[in-house]
Amino acid sequence: MKSKHSHNSKDEGFKFPQGYFEGLEARAKSAAAFKEAIPDEEGFEVPEQYFAGFEVHLRKRMRGQTPVLHFLQTYRKYGYYAAAAVCLILISTLFTLDVRSTPVFSELKTSDIEWLLDSGMLEIPESYLMENPVMADISAINFSGNTIEPNALESYLLDELDIYDLTE
Amino acid sequence: MEKETLLKELQHPETRERAFSELVRDYQERLYWHIRRMVLNHDDTDDVLQNTFIKVYKNIDTFRGDSAVYSWMYRIATNEAINFLQKQANKYRISNEELRAQLVNNLVSDPYFDGDAIQLKLQKALATLPEKQLAVFNMRYYEEMKYEEISAVTDTSVGALKASYHHAVKKIQEYLKQNG
């Protein structure tokens, strides 16, 4: 297909883009000005004998990498099997995991709570204390040494125990 | 060595080492300067050049020979240089433009840069170009590659490359004019 922008030069069959000669001088001047503005030398230098020793350095680095690569290539298929096995175990663990088995504070054994408190791994939630006033009231009792003050014990019993518990 | 023969020898285990040595000898300087004009520092260039040849060696079996070996190597070198600059920018948490400006500033104290004020100004002008445009400019202006060859390296149409080069020239001219 003939291009609209192409023109025939007499009979030789050669073509050139439309407007080529009109803009030729301006383009040539612009290119010349650009070449003049750009310095011939770039200022970069290379250490002496760099290219002469390049292959030696390259081979040294490649040798350093090769054993690891061979090892990885040899055991690659085993790696895939191992990765697949780990994935299967993880997936089966996720499916068999009983989310209801998440420990609830009130269901923990006293010994476990004590151990956790001692280890600094547990803070008793405030809501738990609010729901269990007996535990909160213990702090009101004045323990001196290993004995309980008789007055404190009496007022605790009077406050907390139902009279019917005693009469029955 | 003929291009086809070279590729065959590179892909054959018995002749690979010798052919690879020849490849390194033939192309190390050309690729060095191609990379150096992008990353500017000699040590970084050395690192990127070695990575380029290692990639060539490792992947020679998968190279199908759709393009010339040298176009393929140029493509790897260009990508390695661009990736290196990107990684450096990420490492220092700065933009690519900031990194390139920083690299030019480092040239002042670089023992392997002996440029004068004009050459330094040119580097500053080149630093304003995006990496891919810079690569095209370098291949065309400094390495005097044909657009068809650059097209094989960058996998970009000749028309787009011409526009990119023209745009780069305008940008450099403008920078030099403003900072002249």
mmCIF file of all heavy atoms in Angstrom, chain B residues 8-53:
data_model
loop_
_atom_site.group_PDB
_atom_site.id
_atom_site.type_symbol
_atom_site.label_atom_id
_atom_site.label_comp_id
_atom_site.label_asym_id
_atom_site.label_seq_id
_atom_site.Cartn_x
_atom_site.Cartn_y
_atom_site.Cartn_z
ATOM 1 N N LYS B 8 25.106 -22.665 19.981
ATOM 2 C CA LYS B 8 25.145 -24.133 20.098
ATOM 3 C C LYS B 8 26.215 -24.565 21.097
ATOM 4 O O LYS B 8 25.993 -25.457 21.915
ATOM 5 C CB LYS B 8 25.421 -24.772 18.728
ATOM 6 C CG LYS B 8 24.160 -24.967 17.899
ATOM 7 C CD LYS B 8 24.489 -25.637 16.598
ATOM 8 C CE LYS B 8 23.235 -25.660 15.710
ATOM 9 N NZ LYS B 8 23.539 -26.058 14.351
ATOM 10 N N GLU B 9 27.352 -23.923 21.003
ATOM 11 C CA GLU B 9 28.459 -24.280 21.905
ATOM 12 C C GLU B 9 28.135 -23.902 23.358
ATOM 13 O O GLU B 9 28.522 -24.597 24.290
ATOM 14 C CB GLU B 9 29.756 -23.613 21.449
ATOM 15 C CG GLU B 9 30.256 -24.187 20.134
ATOM 16 C CD GLU B 9 31.720 -23.913 19.888
ATOM 17 O OE1 GLU B 9 32.359 -23.244 20.710
ATOM 18 O OE2 GLU B 9 32.228 -24.383 18.855
ATOM 19 N N LEU B 10 27.426 -22.785 23.508
ATOM 20 C CA LEU B 10 27.035 -22.361 24.868
ATOM 21 C C LEU B 10 26.042 -23.340 25.487
ATOM 22 O O LEU B 10 26.007 -23.536 26.695
ATOM 23 C CB LEU B 10 26.405 -20.965 24.836
ATOM 24 C CG LEU B 10 27.360 -19.777 24.763
ATOM 25 C CD1 LEU B 10 26.598 -18.512 24.415
ATOM 26 C CD2 LEU B 10 28.094 -19.581 26.081
ATOM 27 N N GLN B 11 25.236 -23.938 24.624
ATOM 28 C CA GLN B 11 24.202 -24.854 25.135
ATOM 29 C C GLN B 11 24.674 -26.309 25.229
ATOM 30 O O GLN B 11 23.957 -27.143 25.747
ATOM 31 C CB GLN B 11 22.943 -24.733 24.269
ATOM 32 C CG GLN B 11 22.283 -23.356 24.442
ATOM 33 C CD GLN B 11 21.030 -23.176 23.635
ATOM 34 O OE1 GLN B 11 20.859 -23.816 22.605
ATOM 35 N NE2 GLN B 11 20.146 -22.302 24.092
ATOM 36 N N HIS B 12 25.874 -26.560 24.753
ATOM 37 C CA HIS B 12 26.410 -27.928 24.825
ATOM 38 C C HIS B 12 27.348 -28.045 26.029
ATOM 39 O O HIS B 12 28.303 -27.268 26.136
ATOM 40 C CB HIS B 12 27.153 -28.263 23.526
ATOM 41 C CG HIS B 12 27.350 -29.722 23.359
ATOM 42 N ND1 HIS B 12 28.356 -30.419 24.004
ATOM 43 C CD2 HIS B 12 26.649 -30.642 22.649
ATOM 44 C CE1 HIS B 12 28.276 -31.686 23.680
ATOM 45 N NE2 HIS B 12 27.246 -31.861 22.865
ATOM 46 N N PRO B 13 27.104 -29.010 26.936
ATOM 47 C CA PRO B 13 27.915 -29.090 28.162
ATOM 48 C C PRO B 13 29.421 -29.182 27.926
ATOM 49 O O PRO B 13 30.200 -28.633 28.690
ATOM 50 C CB PRO B 13 27.397 -30.367 28.846
ATOM 51 C CG PRO B 13 26.061 -30.598 28.258
ATOM 52 C CD PRO B 13 26.076 -30.042 26.887
ATOM 53 N N GLU B 14 29.826 -29.852 26.848
ATOM 54 C CA GLU B 14 31.263 -30.040 26.621
ATOM 55 C C GLU B 14 31.972 -28.767 26.155
ATOM 56 O O GLU B 14 33.158 -28.580 26.415
ATOM 57 C CB GLU B 14 31.478 -31.156 25.584
ATOM 58 C CG GLU B 14 31.360 -32.535 26.198
ATOM 59 C CD GLU B 14 31.534 -33.639 25.167
ATOM 60 O OE1 GLU B 14 32.135 -33.389 24.106
ATOM 61 O OE2 GLU B 14 31.023 -34.736 25.421
ATOM 62 N N THR B 15 31.242 -27.925 25.434
ATOM 63 C CA THR B 15 31.876 -26.719 24.876
ATOM 64 C C THR B 15 31.457 -25.455 25.609
ATOM 65 O O THR B 15 31.920 -24.363 25.278
ATOM 66 C CB THR B 15 31.501 -26.580 23.385
ATOM 67 O OG1 THR B 15 30.076 -26.724 23.259
ATOM 68 C CG2 THR B 15 32.195 -27.618 22.541
ATOM 69 N N ARG B 16 30.576 -25.619 26.585
ATOM 70 C CA ARG B 16 29.990 -24.461 27.265
ATOM 71 C C ARG B 16 31.045 -23.525 27.882
ATOM 72 O O ARG B 16 31.012 -22.321 27.662
ATOM 73 C CB ARG B 16 29.018 -24.922 28.349
ATOM 74 C CG ARG B 16 28.417 -23.765 29.137
ATOM 75 C CD ARG B 16 27.378 -24.231 30.081
ATOM 76 N NE ARG B 16 26.238 -24.768 29.338
ATOM 77 C CZ ARG B 16 25.261 -25.481 29.888
ATOM 78 N NH1 ARG B 16 25.299 -25.763 31.170
ATOM 79 N NH2 ARG B 16 24.247 -25.923 29.174
ATOM 80 N N GLU B 17 31.970 -24.086 28.637
ATOM 81 C CA GLU B 17 32.934 -23.258 29.365
ATOM 82 C C GLU B 17 33.772 -22.395 28.424
ATOM 83 O O GLU B 17 33.968 -21.211 28.674
ATOM 84 C CB GLU B 17 33.841 -24.147 30.235
ATOM 85 C CG GLU B 17 33.100 -24.886 31.343
ATOM 86 C CD GLU B 17 32.279 -23.991 32.249
ATOM 87 O OE1 GLU B 17 32.767 -22.905 32.619
ATOM 88 O OE2 GLU B 17 31.134 -24.359 32.566
ATOM 89 N N ARG B 18 34.236 -23.020 27.373
ATOM 90 C CA ARG B 18 35.089 -22.287 26.430
ATOM 91 C C ARG B 18 34.284 -21.190 25.726
ATOM 92 O O ARG B 18 34.734 -20.053 25.598
ATOM 93 C CB ARG B 18 35.661 -23.262 25.386
ATOM 94 C CG ARG B 18 36.794 -22.691 24.557
ATOM 95 C CD ARG B 18 37.287 -23.711 23.545
ATOM 96 N NE ARG B 18 36.241 -24.154 22.630
ATOM 97 C CZ ARG B 18 35.842 -23.466 21.558
ATOM 98 N NH1 ARG B 18 36.417 -22.314 21.278
ATOM 99 N NH2 ARG B 18 34.912 -23.931 20.760
ATOM 100 N N ALA B 19 33.068 -21.534 25.320
ATOM 101 C CA ALA B 19 32.222 -20.560 24.631
ATOM 102 C C ALA B 19 31.837 -19.416 25.565
ATOM 103 O O ALA B 19 31.786 -18.249 25.151
ATOM 104 C CB ALA B 19 30.966 -21.252 24.103
ATOM 105 N N PHE B 20 31.619 -19.757 26.833
ATOM 106 C CA PHE B 20 31.234 -18.718 27.796
ATOM 107 C C PHE B 20 32.407 -17.746 28.013
ATOM 108 O O PHE B 20 32.206 -16.536 28.088
ATOM 109 C CB PHE B 20 30.799 -19.353 29.121
ATOM 110 C CG PHE B 20 30.322 -18.354 30.135
ATOM 111 C CD1 PHE B 20 29.135 -17.660 29.949
ATOM 112 C CD2 PHE B 20 31.070 -18.088 31.266
ATOM 113 C CE1 PHE B 20 28.703 -16.727 30.879
ATOM 114 C CE2 PHE B 20 30.647 -17.159 32.205
ATOM 115 C CZ PHE B 20 29.455 -16.483 32.002
ATOM 116 N N SER B 21 33.606 -18.303 28.090
ATOM 117 C CA SER B 21 34.800 -17.455 28.235
ATOM 118 C C SER B 21 34.903 -16.488 27.062
ATOM 119 O O SER B 21 35.223 -15.311 27.238
ATOM 120 C CB SER B 21 36.064 -18.308 28.287
ATOM 121 O OG SER B 21 36.123 -18.978 29.507
ATOM 122 N N GLU B 22 34.627 -16.998 25.893
ATOM 123 C CA GLU B 22 34.691 -16.151 24.695
ATOM 124 C C GLU B 22 33.631 -15.046 24.747
ATOM 125 O O GLU B 22 33.896 -13.890 24.415
ATOM 126 C CB GLU B 22 34.482 -17.021 23.453
ATOM 127 C CG GLU B 22 34.894 -16.313 22.179
ATOM 128 C CD GLU B 22 34.788 -17.206 20.959
ATOM 129 O OE1 GLU B 22 35.131 -18.397 21.060
ATOM 130 O OE2 GLU B 22 34.333 -16.704 19.916
ATOM 131 N N LEU B 23 32.462 -15.450 25.220
ATOM 132 C CA LEU B 23 31.357 -14.489 25.351
ATOM 133 C C LEU B 23 31.722 -13.375 26.329
ATOM 134 O O LEU B 23 31.477 -12.198 26.058
ATOM 135 C CB LEU B 23 30.115 -15.240 25.852
ATOM 136 C CG LEU B 23 28.780 -14.534 25.693
ATOM 137 C CD1 LEU B 23 28.336 -14.563 24.241
ATOM 138 C CD2 LEU B 23 27.717 -15.219 26.548
ATOM 139 N N VAL B 24 32.317 -13.766 27.449
ATOM 140 C CA VAL B 24 32.719 -12.776 28.464
ATOM 141 C C VAL B 24 33.760 -11.831 27.866
ATOM 142 O O VAL B 24 33.648 -10.603 27.999
ATOM 143 C CB VAL B 24 33.279 -13.480 29.733
ATOM 144 C CG1 VAL B 24 33.890 -12.477 30.695
ATOM 145 C CG2 VAL B 24 32.172 -14.267 30.428
ATOM 146 N N ARG B 25 34.752 -12.394 27.226
ATOM 147 C CA ARG B 25 35.820 -11.569 26.638
ATOM 148 C C ARG B 25 35.250 -10.599 25.602
ATOM 149 O O ARG B 25 35.622 -9.433 25.558
ATOM 150 C CB ARG B 25 36.874 -12.454 25.988
ATOM 151 C CG ARG B 25 37.926 -12.961 26.961
ATOM 152 C CD ARG B 25 39.163 -13.446 26.213
ATOM 153 N NE ARG B 25 38.853 -14.464 25.217
ATOM 154 C CZ ARG B 25 38.749 -15.766 25.501
ATOM 155 N NH1 ARG B 25 38.917 -16.191 26.733
ATOM 156 N NH2 ARG B 25 38.471 -16.640 24.561
ATOM 157 N N ASP B 26 34.340 -11.080 24.774
ATOM 158 C CA ASP B 26 33.809 -10.253 23.682
ATOM 159 C C ASP B 26 32.881 -9.142 24.165
ATOM 160 O O ASP B 26 32.804 -8.080 23.553
ATOM 161 C CB ASP B 26 33.029 -11.122 22.685
ATOM 162 C CG ASP B 26 33.965 -11.952 21.821
ATOM 163 O OD1 ASP B 26 35.187 -11.746 21.925
ATOM 164 O OD2 ASP B 26 33.473 -12.817 21.070
ATOM 165 N N TYR B 27 32.150 -9.412 25.226
ATOM 166 C CA TYR B 27 31.101 -8.458 25.601
ATOM 167 C C TYR B 27 31.306 -7.736 26.935
ATOM 168 O O TYR B 27 30.516 -6.861 27.280
ATOM 169 C CB TYR B 27 29.740 -9.165 25.616
ATOM 170 C CG TYR B 27 29.275 -9.506 24.231
ATOM 171 C CD1 TYR B 27 29.409 -10.790 23.728
ATOM 172 C CD2 TYR B 27 28.734 -8.528 23.406
ATOM 173 C CE1 TYR B 27 29.013 -11.102 22.434
ATOM 174 C CE2 TYR B 27 28.336 -8.832 22.117
ATOM 175 C CZ TYR B 27 28.473 -10.121 21.636
ATOM 176 O OH TYR B 27 28.082 -10.401 20.355
ATOM 177 N N GLN B 28 32.332 -8.100 27.689
ATOM 178 C CA GLN B 28 32.470 -7.501 29.018
ATOM 179 C C GLN B 28 32.589 -5.973 28.967
ATOM 180 O O GLN B 28 31.971 -5.278 29.780
ATOM 181 C CB GLN B 28 33.657 -8.116 29.777
ATOM 182 C CG GLN B 28 35.002 -7.967 29.098
ATOM 183 C CD GLN B 28 36.131 -8.591 29.921
ATOM 184 O OE1 GLN B 28 35.896 -9.207 30.933
ATOM 185 N NE2 GLN B 28 37.359 -8.419 29.461
ATOM 186 N N GLU B 29 33.360 -5.457 28.010
ATOM 187 C CA GLU B 29 33.548 -4.002 27.978
ATOM 188 C C GLU B 29 32.285 -3.271 27.534
ATOM 189 O O GLU B 29 31.902 -2.277 28.128
ATOM 190 C CB GLU B 29 34.705 -3.639 27.048
ATOM 191 C CG GLU B 29 36.046 -3.813 27.735
ATOM 192 C CD GLU B 29 37.157 -3.012 27.092
ATOM 193 O OE1 GLU B 29 36.975 -1.803 26.893
ATOM 194 O OE2 GLU B 29 38.203 -3.609 26.795
ATOM 195 N N ARG B 30 31.665 -3.799 26.498
ATOM 196 C CA ARG B 30 30.438 -3.144 26.003
ATOM 197 C C ARG B 30 29.378 -3.128 27.089
ATOM 198 O O ARG B 30 28.727 -2.117 27.321
ATOM 199 C CB ARG B 30 29.893 -3.882 24.776
ATOM 200 C CG ARG B 30 30.725 -3.629 23.541
ATOM 201 C CD ARG B 30 30.224 -4.436 22.383
ATOM 202 N NE ARG B 30 28.917 -3.939 21.917
ATOM 203 C CZ ARG B 30 28.298 -4.424 20.861
ATOM 204 N NH1 ARG B 30 28.841 -5.406 20.173
ATOM 205 N NH2 ARG B 30 27.127 -3.941 20.495
ATOM 206 N N LEU B 31 29.184 -4.264 27.753
ATOM 207 C CA LEU B 31 28.152 -4.335 28.798
ATOM 208 C C LEU B 31 28.548 -3.504 30.019
ATOM 209 O O LEU B 31 27.697 -2.908 30.666
ATOM 210 C CB LEU B 31 27.881 -5.793 29.196
ATOM 211 C CG LEU B 31 27.206 -6.662 28.140
ATOM 212 C CD1 LEU B 31 27.024 -8.079 28.644
ATOM 213 C CD2 LEU B 31 25.839 -6.097 27.740
ATOM 214 N N TYR B 32 29.866 -3.482 30.292
ATOM 215 C CA TYR B 32 30.336 -2.678 31.428
ATOM 216 C C TYR B 32 29.911 -1.217 31.237
ATOM 217 O O TYR B 32 29.321 -0.612 32.132
ATOM 218 C CB TYR B 32 31.867 -2.760 31.559
ATOM 219 C CG TYR B 32 32.415 -1.835 32.625
ATOM 220 C CD1 TYR B 32 32.527 -2.264 33.941
ATOM 221 C CD2 TYR B 32 32.783 -0.524 32.325
ATOM 222 C CE1 TYR B 32 33.006 -1.415 34.932
ATOM 223 C CE2 TYR B 32 33.264 0.332 33.307
ATOM 224 C CZ TYR B 32 33.375 -0.119 34.604
ATOM 225 O OH TYR B 32 33.831 0.739 35.581
ATOM 226 N N TRP B 33 30.215 -0.674 30.073
ATOM 227 C CA TRP B 33 29.896 0.744 29.846
ATOM 228 C C TRP B 33 28.392 0.980 29.800
ATOM 229 O O TRP B 33 27.912 2.035 30.218
ATOM 230 C CB TRP B 33 30.594 1.255 28.579
ATOM 231 C CG TRP B 33 32.067 1.384 28.824
ATOM 232 C CD1 TRP B 33 33.060 0.643 28.266
ATOM 233 C CD2 TRP B 33 32.696 2.261 29.768
ATOM 234 N NE1 TRP B 33 34.268 1.008 28.794
ATOM 235 C CE2 TRP B 33 34.084 2.004 29.706
ATOM 236 C CE3 TRP B 33 32.240 3.246 30.648
ATOM 237 C CZ2 TRP B 33 35.014 2.681 30.500
ATOM 238 C CZ3 TRP B 33 33.157 3.922 31.434
ATOM 239 C CH2 TRP B 33 34.528 3.644 31.359
ATOM 240 N N HIS B 34 27.669 0.019 29.289
ATOM 241 C CA HIS B 34 26.200 0.138 29.261
ATOM 242 C C HIS B 34 25.660 0.245 30.701
ATOM 243 O O HIS B 34 24.810 1.088 30.990
ATOM 244 C CB HIS B 34 25.616 -1.098 28.561
ATOM 245 C CG HIS B 34 24.121 -1.091 28.479
ATOM 246 N ND1 HIS B 34 23.429 -0.144 27.782
ATOM 247 C CD2 HIS B 34 23.187 -1.910 29.028
ATOM 248 C CE1 HIS B 34 22.138 -0.383 27.894
ATOM 249 N NE2 HIS B 34 21.964 -1.448 28.657
ATOM 250 N N ILE B 35 26.195 -0.585 31.576
ATOM 251 C CA ILE B 35 25.743 -0.576 32.976
ATOM 252 C C ILE B 35 26.292 0.651 33.714
ATOM 253 O O ILE B 35 25.574 1.314 34.463
ATOM 254 C CB ILE B 35 26.174 -1.882 33.690
ATOM 255 C CG1 ILE B 35 25.498 -3.089 33.048
ATOM 256 C CG2 ILE B 35 25.852 -1.829 35.179
ATOM 257 C CD1 ILE B 35 26.119 -4.429 33.418
ATOM 258 N N ARG B 36 27.562 0.944 33.467
ATOM 259 C CA ARG B 36 28.208 2.059 34.183
ATOM 260 C C ARG B 36 27.463 3.375 33.944
ATOM 261 O O ARG B 36 27.328 4.200 34.844
ATOM 262 C CB ARG B 36 29.665 2.176 33.720
ATOM 263 C CG ARG B 36 30.466 3.332 34.361
ATOM 264 C CD ARG B 36 30.984 2.966 35.718
ATOM 265 N NE ARG B 36 31.622 4.072 36.408
ATOM 266 C CZ ARG B 36 32.933 4.256 36.518
ATOM 267 N NH1 ARG B 36 33.764 3.390 35.967
ATOM 268 N NH2 ARG B 36 33.424 5.286 37.169
ATOM 269 N N ARG B 37 27.003 3.597 32.727
ATOM 270 C CA ARG B 37 26.290 4.841 32.411
ATOM 271 C C ARG B 37 24.957 4.927 33.142
ATOM 272 O O ARG B 37 24.373 5.992 33.239
ATOM 273 C CB ARG B 37 26.070 4.950 30.904
ATOM 274 C CG ARG B 37 27.344 5.201 30.138
ATOM 275 C CD ARG B 37 27.102 5.472 28.672
ATOM 276 N NE ARG B 37 28.372 5.687 28.010
ATOM 277 C CZ ARG B 37 28.940 4.814 27.174
ATOM 278 N NH1 ARG B 37 28.322 3.693 26.862
ATOM 279 N NH2 ARG B 37 30.109 5.080 26.626
ATOM 280 N N MET B 38 24.507 3.811 33.670
ATOM 281 C CA MET B 38 23.239 3.838 34.410
ATOM 282 C C MET B 38 23.460 3.905 35.919
ATOM 283 O O MET B 38 22.771 4.630 36.616
ATOM 284 C CB MET B 38 22.395 2.608 34.056
ATOM 285 C CG MET B 38 21.914 2.660 32.612
ATOM 286 S SD MET B 38 20.820 1.319 32.219
ATOM 287 C CE MET B 38 19.330 1.902 32.995
ATOM 288 N N VAL B 39 24.426 3.125 36.417
ATOM 289 C CA VAL B 39 24.600 3.091 37.883
ATOM 290 C C VAL B 39 25.744 3.987 38.367
ATOM 291 O O VAL B 39 25.888 4.217 39.564
ATOM 292 C CB VAL B 39 24.762 1.639 38.424
ATOM 293 C CG1 VAL B 39 23.626 0.763 37.995
ATOM 294 C CG2 VAL B 39 26.071 1.018 37.999
ATOM 295 N N LEU B 40 26.554 4.464 37.429
ATOM 296 C CA LEU B 40 27.610 5.475 37.625
ATOM 297 C C LEU B 40 28.838 5.039 38.420
ATOM 298 O O LEU B 40 29.942 5.392 38.079
ATOM 299 C CB LEU B 40 27.024 6.759 38.258
ATOM 300 C CG LEU B 40 25.835 7.398 37.530
ATOM 301 C CD1 LEU B 40 25.426 8.696 38.232
ATOM 302 C CD2 LEU B 40 26.117 7.669 36.076
ATOM 303 N N ASN B 41 28.648 4.273 39.488
ATOM 304 C CA ASN B 41 29.765 3.895 40.339
ATOM 305 C C ASN B 41 30.434 2.610 39.835
ATOM 306 O O ASN B 41 29.749 1.676 39.428
ATOM 307 C CB ASN B 41 29.168 3.708 41.751
ATOM 308 C CG ASN B 41 30.139 3.133 42.723
ATOM 309 O OD1 ASN B 41 30.427 1.943 42.680
ATOM 310 N ND2 ASN B 41 30.640 3.965 43.591
ATOM 311 N N HIS B 42 31.774 2.568 39.874
ATOM 312 C CA HIS B 42 32.483 1.396 39.332
ATOM 313 C C HIS B 42 32.150 0.096 40.083
ATOM 314 O O HIS B 42 31.885 -0.933 39.463
ATOM 315 C CB HIS B 42 34.000 1.615 39.343
ATOM 316 C CG HIS B 42 34.754 0.334 39.126
ATOM 317 N ND1 HIS B 42 34.821 -0.279 37.897
ATOM 318 C CD2 HIS B 42 35.396 -0.486 40.005
ATOM 319 C CE1 HIS B 42 35.501 -1.412 38.017
ATOM 320 N NE2 HIS B 42 35.868 -1.565 39.281
ATOM 321 N N ASP B 43 32.191 0.152 41.425
ATOM 322 C CA ASP B 43 31.971 -1.081 42.203
ATOM 323 C C ASP B 43 30.568 -1.648 41.966
ATOM 324 O O ASP B 43 30.398 -2.864 41.852
ATOM 325 C CB ASP B 43 32.179 -0.813 43.703
ATOM 326 C CG ASP B 43 33.645 -0.575 44.012
ATOM 327 O OD1 ASP B 43 34.499 -1.144 43.312
ATOM 328 O OD2 ASP B 43 33.939 0.201 44.942
ATOM 329 N N ASP B 44 29.595 -0.774 41.919
ATOM 330 C CA ASP B 44 28.219 -1.225 41.647
ATOM 331 C C ASP B 44 28.125 -1.802 40.235
ATOM 332 O O ASP B 44 27.446 -2.811 40.006
ATOM 333 C CB ASP B 44 27.226 -0.065 41.803
ATOM 334 C CG ASP B 44 27.141 0.417 43.240
ATOM 335 O OD1 ASP B 44 27.471 -0.372 44.147
ATOM 336 O OD2 ASP B 44 26.762 1.583 43.469
ATOM 337 N N THR B 45 28.818 -1.156 39.310
ATOM 338 C CA THR B 45 28.811 -1.643 37.923
ATOM 339 C C THR B 45 29.406 -3.049 37.856
ATOM 340 O O THR B 45 28.861 -3.935 37.192
ATOM 341 C CB THR B 45 29.635 -0.697 37.016
ATOM 342 O OG1 THR B 45 29.115 0.616 37.147
ATOM 343 C CG2 THR B 45 29.572 -1.119 35.563
ATOM 344 N N ASP B 46 30.514 -3.237 38.565
ATOM 345 C CA ASP B 46 31.181 -4.546 38.592
ATOM 346 C C ASP B 46 30.216 -5.617 39.113
ATOM 347 O O ASP B 46 30.108 -6.714 38.547
ATOM 348 C CB ASP B 46 32.423 -4.443 39.484
ATOM 349 C CG ASP B 46 33.167 -5.755 39.581
ATOM 350 O OD1 ASP B 46 33.388 -6.381 38.539
ATOM 351 O OD2 ASP B 46 33.506 -6.165 40.711
ATOM 352 N N ASP B 47 29.508 -5.275 40.178
ATOM 353 C CA ASP B 47 28.552 -6.204 40.779
ATOM 354 C C ASP B 47 27.425 -6.552 39.798
ATOM 355 O O ASP B 47 27.096 -7.733 39.613
ATOM 356 C CB ASP B 47 27.970 -5.525 42.037
ATOM 357 C CG ASP B 47 27.476 -6.537 43.030
ATOM 358 O OD1 ASP B 47 28.071 -7.621 43.105
ATOM 359 O OD2 ASP B 47 26.475 -6.250 43.721
ATOM 360 N N VAL B 48 26.869 -5.523 39.179
ATOM 361 C CA VAL B 48 25.758 -5.737 38.235
ATOM 362 C C VAL B 48 26.239 -6.515 37.005
ATOM 363 O O VAL B 48 25.542 -7.404 36.506
ATOM 364 C CB VAL B 48 25.117 -4.381 37.823
ATOM 365 C CG1 VAL B 48 24.063 -4.583 36.742
ATOM 366 C CG2 VAL B 48 24.499 -3.684 39.024
ATOM 367 N N LEU B 49 27.457 -6.211 36.556
ATOM 368 C CA LEU B 49 28.005 -6.918 35.383
ATOM 369 C C LEU B 49 28.199 -8.404 35.690
ATOM 370 O O LEU B 49 27.865 -9.265 34.872
ATOM 371 C CB LEU B 49 29.336 -6.277 34.975
ATOM 372 C CG LEU B 49 30.014 -6.858 33.727
ATOM 373 C CD1 LEU B 49 29.155 -6.665 32.482
ATOM 374 C CD2 LEU B 49 31.377 -6.195 33.495
ATOM 375 N N GLN B 50 28.723 -8.697 36.879
ATOM 376 C CA GLN B 50 28.901 -10.105 37.257
ATOM 377 C C GLN B 50 27.545 -10.814 37.338
ATOM 378 O O GLN B 50 27.393 -11.932 36.854
ATOM 379 C CB GLN B 50 29.620 -10.198 38.610
ATOM 380 C CG GLN B 50 31.085 -9.799 38.492
ATOM 381 C CD GLN B 50 31.896 -10.200 39.705
ATOM 382 O OE1 GLN B 50 31.587 -11.172 40.377
ATOM 383 N NE2 GLN B 50 32.932 -9.451 39.995
ATOM 384 N N ASN B 51 26.567 -10.136 37.937
ATOM 385 C CA ASN B 51 25.219 -10.718 38.012
ATOM 386 C C ASN B 51 24.663 -11.005 36.618
ATOM 387 O O ASN B 51 24.000 -12.013 36.400
ATOM 388 C CB ASN B 51 24.257 -9.776 38.740
ATOM 389 C CG ASN B 51 24.522 -9.735 40.221
ATOM 390 O OD1 ASN B 51 25.185 -10.617 40.762
ATOM 391 N ND2 ASN B 51 24.031 -8.711 40.893
ATOM 392 N N THR B 52 24.948 -10.084 35.705
ATOM 393 C CA THR B 52 24.464 -10.250 34.325
ATOM 394 C C THR B 52 25.040 -11.521 33.708
ATOM 395 O O THR B 52 24.296 -12.349 33.169
ATOM 396 C CB THR B 52 24.859 -9.015 33.480
ATOM 397 O OG1 THR B 52 24.297 -7.856 34.073
ATOM 398 C CG2 THR B 52 24.381 -9.147 32.048
ATOM 399 N N PHE B 53 26.353 -11.686 33.821
ATOM 400 C CA PHE B 53 26.980 -12.868 33.224
ATOM 401 C C PHE B 53 26.548 -14.159 33.931
ATOM 402 O O PHE B 53 26.407 -15.205 33.289
ATOM 403 C CB PHE B 53 28.502 -12.732 33.217
ATOM 404 C CG PHE B 53 29.013 -11.921 32.048
ATOM 405 C CD1 PHE B 53 29.645 -10.702 32.240
ATOM 406 C CD2 PHE B 53 28.842 -12.371 30.754
ATOM 407 C CE1 PHE B 53 30.105 -9.955 31.168
ATOM 408 C CE2 PHE B 53 29.299 -11.628 29.667
ATOM 409 C CZ PHE B 53 29.933 -10.412 29.879
#
